[in-house]
């Protein structure tokens, strides 16, 4: 009975093929949940759209680039300030949002003139910014606005600016994963190779699939600098537009989030012969393994071992303090895709936490292959989970803490279950040795927070509670 039809799905029996319960003695390759498929009508998906995958996840992270969203204002607002991407230039992408603010009349008569006007206004208002990404959205794609023609005209009139276009409206794919793919392939085909970097080290990498959530990039940058490795391009955490045009000059592509950025690493290998090396950067064991893999490529293993020893000396004692107190806790992970398999083994090995349920919004088959291989038996694996399924799974596995996004997090809080923001973090960074101690701290604080227990107590019939609280 590996595939599970939940009680809440009895009227949508197709959902059975999307939910897997891992048991002993079965070949898990025969029971992978269906994934990267259209959401079944009648189920309330938690997925994001393809446009969101391009803008919110990847493009919108760049620290020196105007993000012009050609569509209604809601598309711009929904993909702004929902993730914490700090930058070292005053958090530029968090301060501003740009939109052509399409109205009904523009949809009827076309929005190309409005787009041209908006682009010029943005450059005029921010004369120090010379780079822009323009995105289509559902309505502007449906009416056929030619954003490439508009941007070519603007660039011909403003020779000091450079504009990249992403034609990936929300309906272009089944989830935000399509937006990842479109931006990756468009960037390498149109922009990579346009700028030459200044090489300052004999060891150079592209660090791909890290978005500097609450400072993740800065933690890992300390490691690369200590190892004497130059990062040519950050794709895209704390990165710049022109640095990403230099990706063809790195000796190695180090990939963290394979789902959102593995495409460009594959193309760099195909077009420029740059090898791809995948790593995990959450957890002590995984981070140490990642450093060893990168150092082995360059033949600097001694530097790697010295760095690992130094970081273990700083942080291992603190991690052990949390591990002693978190041992045996049950955790659910309901996030996008790769973090399921990045986190499940790391929290089990480094913290003694048991992962009892996982749900992916946009994972592909290979993501489920990895997470099921790394996960324990008795764990539920769900593709494109919905609200009612979450409630039923919670009743079955009774997690002590849930890592998920704010939308599901609000539901979880009403059930008085501790919740950690698995998308943008609570108090990150979470990557690296220091970061994983932060993750353990947030998990410990959430599980032991007395407020959730108090919130679950109905005090209306218990007058003694008032006296105890007053005392």
């Amino acid at each position: 009975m590996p595939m599970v039809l939940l009680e809440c799905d009895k009227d949508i029996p197709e959902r059975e093929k999307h939910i897997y319960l891992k048991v002993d003695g079965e070949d898990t390759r025969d029971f992978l949940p269906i994934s990267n498929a259209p959401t079944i009508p009648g189920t309330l998906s938690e997925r994001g759209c393809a446009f969101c995958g391009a803008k919110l996840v990847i493009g919108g992270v760049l620290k020196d680039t105007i993000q012009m969203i050609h569509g209604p204002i809601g598309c711009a607002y929904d993909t702004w300030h929902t993730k914490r991407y700090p930058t070292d230039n005053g958090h530029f992408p968090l301060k501003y949002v740009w939109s052509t603010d399409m109205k009904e009349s523009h949809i009827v008569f076309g929005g190309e003139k409005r787009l041209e006007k908006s682009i010029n206004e943005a450059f005029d208002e921010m004369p120090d910014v010379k780079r822009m990404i323009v995105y289509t959205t559902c309505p502007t794609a449906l009416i056929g606005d030619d954003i490439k023609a508009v941007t070519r005209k603007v660039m011909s009139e403003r020779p000091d600016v450079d504009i990249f276009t992403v034609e990936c409206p929300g309906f272009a794919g089944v989830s935000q994963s399509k937006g990842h793919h479109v931006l990756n392939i468009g960037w390498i085909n149109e922009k990579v190779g346009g700028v030459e970097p200044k090489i300052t080290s004999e060891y150079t990498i592209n660090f791909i699939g890290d978005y500097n959530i609450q400072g993740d990039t800065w933690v890992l940058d300390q490691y690369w600098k200590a190892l004497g490795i130059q990062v040519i391009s950050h794709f895209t955490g704390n990165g710049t537009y022109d640095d990403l045009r230099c990706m063809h000059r790195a000796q190695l592509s180090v990939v963290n989030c394979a789902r959102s950025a593995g495409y460009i690493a594959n193309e760099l290998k195909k077009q420029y012969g740059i090898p791809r090396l995948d790593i995990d950067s959450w957890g002590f064991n995984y981070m140490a393994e990642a450093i060893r893999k990168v150092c082995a490529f360059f033949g600097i293993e001694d530097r790697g071992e010295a760095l690992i020893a130094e970081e273990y000396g700083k942080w291992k004692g603190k991690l052990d303090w949390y591990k002693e107190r978190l041992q045996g806790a049950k955790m659910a992970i309901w996030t996008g895709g790769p973090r399921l398999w990045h986190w499940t083994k790391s929290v089990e090995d480094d913290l003694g936490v048991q992962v009892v349920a996982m749900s992916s919004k946009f994972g592909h088959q290979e993501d489920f292959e990895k997470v099921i291989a790394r996960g324990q038996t008795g764990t539920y694996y769900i593709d494109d989970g919905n609200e009612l399924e979450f409630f039923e799974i919670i009743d079955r596995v009774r997690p002590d803490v849930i890592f998920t996004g704010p939308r599901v997090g609000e539901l979880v809080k009403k059930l008085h279950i501790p919740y950690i923001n698995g998308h943008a973090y609570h108090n990150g960074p979470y990557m690296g040795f220091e970061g994983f101690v932060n993750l353990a701290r947030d998990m410990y604080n959430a599980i032991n927070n007395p407020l959730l227990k108090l919130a679950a107590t109905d005090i209306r019939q218990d007058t003694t509670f008032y006296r105890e609280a007053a005392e």
Side-chain angles (χ1 to χ4, degrees):
M1 191 184 66
M3 308 310 291
V4 179
L5 180 63
L6 298 176
E7 180 65 24
C8 65
D9 289 330
K10 62 184 180 180
D11 294 325
I12 315 176
E14 299 94 331
R15 283 295 300 163
E16 181 178 6
K17 297 180 180 179
H18 294 260
I19 303 172
Y20 171 68
L21 174 61
K22 185 174 180 178
V23 298
D24 288 323
E26 290 177 340
D27 188 341
T28 55
R29 293 172 297 181
D30 295 333
F31 300 108
L32 287 173
I34 292 176
S35 57
N36 195 37
T39 296
I40 298 169
T43 179
L44 182 61
S45 175
E46 292 291 337
R47 283 172 166 172
C49 70
F51 155 72
C52 175
K55 192 275 176 183
L56 174 64
V57 177
I58 303 177
V61 186
L62 292 173
K63 66 183 179 182
D64 67 341
T65 305
I66 293 171
Q67 308 287 329
M68 181 61 67
I69 296 143
H70 186 37
I73 193 68
C75 297
Y77 185 78
D78 188 57
T79 55
W80 178 53
H81 264 203
T82 54
K83 279 198 176 180
R84 302 163 188 169
Y85 299 130
T87 59
D88 58 11
N89 64 342
H91 315 308
F92 179 74
L94 296 178
K95 288 182 177 178
Y96 303 103
V97 62
W98 301 265
S99 172
T100 56
D101 191 20
M102 294 283 284
K103 305 293 187 183
E104 184 177 350
S105 61
H106 308 125
I107 299 299
V108 173
F109 296 106
E112 292 179 8
K113 290 184 179 179
R114 187 170 183 83
L115 173 60
E116 181 182 354
K117 181 176 182 237
S118 297
I119 292 173
N120 282 311
E121 283 181 353
F123 281 129
D124 289 341
E125 289 296 321
M126 298 182 168
D128 294 333
V129 182
K130 303 297 183 182
R131 301 293 181 260
M132 178 183 289
I133 300 178
V134 177
Y135 304 84
T136 56
T137 57
C138 292
T140 53
L142 285 170
I143 65 175
D145 278 356
D146 189 348
I147 67 171
K148 285 188 179 296
V150 174
T151 56
R152 282 195 298 267
K153 182 175 184 294
V154 172
M155 284 191 287
S156 69
E157 297 170 351
R158 293 175 175 262
D160 59 339
V161 307
D162 198 87
I163 306 173
F164 175 58
T165 59
V166 181
E167 297 189 81
C168 189
F171 59 75
V174 302
S175 72
Q176 66 189 66
S177 180
K178 180 66 175 181
H180 306 154
H181 183 262
V182 169
L183 191 149
N184 275 236
I185 301 304
W187 186 266
I188 192 166
N189 288 339
E190 298 178 25
K191 296 301 179 183
V192 172
V195 174
E196 292 298 323
K198 180 180 179 182
I199 303 298
T200 59
S201 171
E202 58 182 313
Y203 314 115
T204 59
I205 65 171
N206 295 314
F207 192 48
I208 295 174
D210 161 50
Y211 305 107
N212 201 32
I213 300 175
Q214 287 203 31
D216 278 342
T217 300
W218 295 331
V219 171
L220 299 187
D221 269 351
Q222 296 174 24
Y223 304 159
W224 308 135
K225 289 175 183 176
L227 295 169
I229 296 172
Q230 178 188 358
V231 180
I232 298 292
S233 303
H234 288 94
F235 191 91
T236 52
N238 198 45
T240 69
Y241 187 103
D242 283 349
D243 281 350
L244 291 185
R245 300 166 79 185
C246 303
M247 298 182 83
H248 60 298
R249 292 305 183 198
Q251 296 165 297
L252 176 67
S253 291
V254 179
V255 179
N256 187 61
C257 180
R259 176 51 48 227
S260 66
Y263 312 104
I264 199 166
N266 290 341
E267 289 299 313
L268 286 166
K269 182 177 181 180
K270 184 189 301 182
Q271 297 184 30
Y272 297 99
I274 302 173
R276 167 179 170 169
L277 178 64
D278 287 43
I279 66 167
D280 297 83
S281 56
W282 287 282
F284 273 47
N285 290 336
Y286 278 153
M287 191 68 247
E289 178 186 350
I291 291 171
R292 290 187 176 109
K293 287 163 68 174
V294 174
C295 289
F297 178 86
F298 291 116
I300 52 173
E301 291 90 340
D302 290 347
R303 297 186 191 181
E305 293 303 324
L307 175 61
I308 292 168
E310 179 182 354
E311 293 298 314
Y312 264 67
K314 288 180 184 176
W315 304 106
K316 188 62 166 62
K318 296 180 180 180
L319 186 77
D320 289 343
W321 189 93
Y322 289 113
K323 180 176 182 178
E324 180 181 346
R325 289 156 178 81
L326 290 171
Q327 193 87 28
K330 294 191 294 184
M331 170 184 178
I333 308 173
W334 296 337
T335 55
R339 288 188 193 177
L340 275 65
W341 49 266
H342 281 302
W343 282 350
T344 181
K345 200 75 167 62
S346 60
V347 297
E348 289 171 1
D349 290 348
D350 292 342
L351 294 174
V353 172
Q354 179 188 3
V355 179
V356 293
M358 287 178 259
S359 177
S360 170
K361 293 181 182 179
F362 56 80
H364 292 206
Q365 179 173 332
E366 63 188 86
D367 298 303
F368 278 102
E369 288 175 348
K370 291 177 182 178
V371 71
I372 291 173
R374 292 182 175 186
Q376 298 181 353
T377 57
T379 300
Y380 287 90
Y381 301 87
I382 308 168
D383 167 71
D384 191 19
N386 61 59
E387 178 180 325
L388 296 179
E389 290 172 350
F390 292 151
F391 290 151
E392 188 166 337
I393 291 294
I394 285 173
D395 287 338
R396 292 189 180 206
V397 300
R398 297 292 179 180
D400 297 303
V401 64
I402 298 176
F403 278 61
T404 187
R407 282 180 294 184
V408 179
E410 292 303 315
L411 298 174
V412 168
K413 285 192 286 187
K414 292 176 182 178
L415 299 176
H416 310 111
I417 298 173
Y419 139 71
I420 300 292
N421 190 333
H423 295 168
Y425 307 160
H426 265 38
N427 301 284
Y430 284 174
M431 285 187 187
F433 302 101
E434 173 186 355
F436 207 65
V437 171
N438 294 338
L439 182 148
R441 178 205 59 212
D442 283 354
M443 189 185 301
Y444 171 81
N445 288 342
I447 292 174
N448 292 282
N449 186 345
L451 292 179
L452 286 173
K453 295 177 182 178
L454 289 173
T457 303
D458 187 346
I459 63 172
R460 289 172 295 182
Q461 304 302 323
D462 185 2
T463 56
T464 61
F465 183 89
Y466 293 105
R467 292 195 297 271
E468 292 174 359
E471 293 172 357

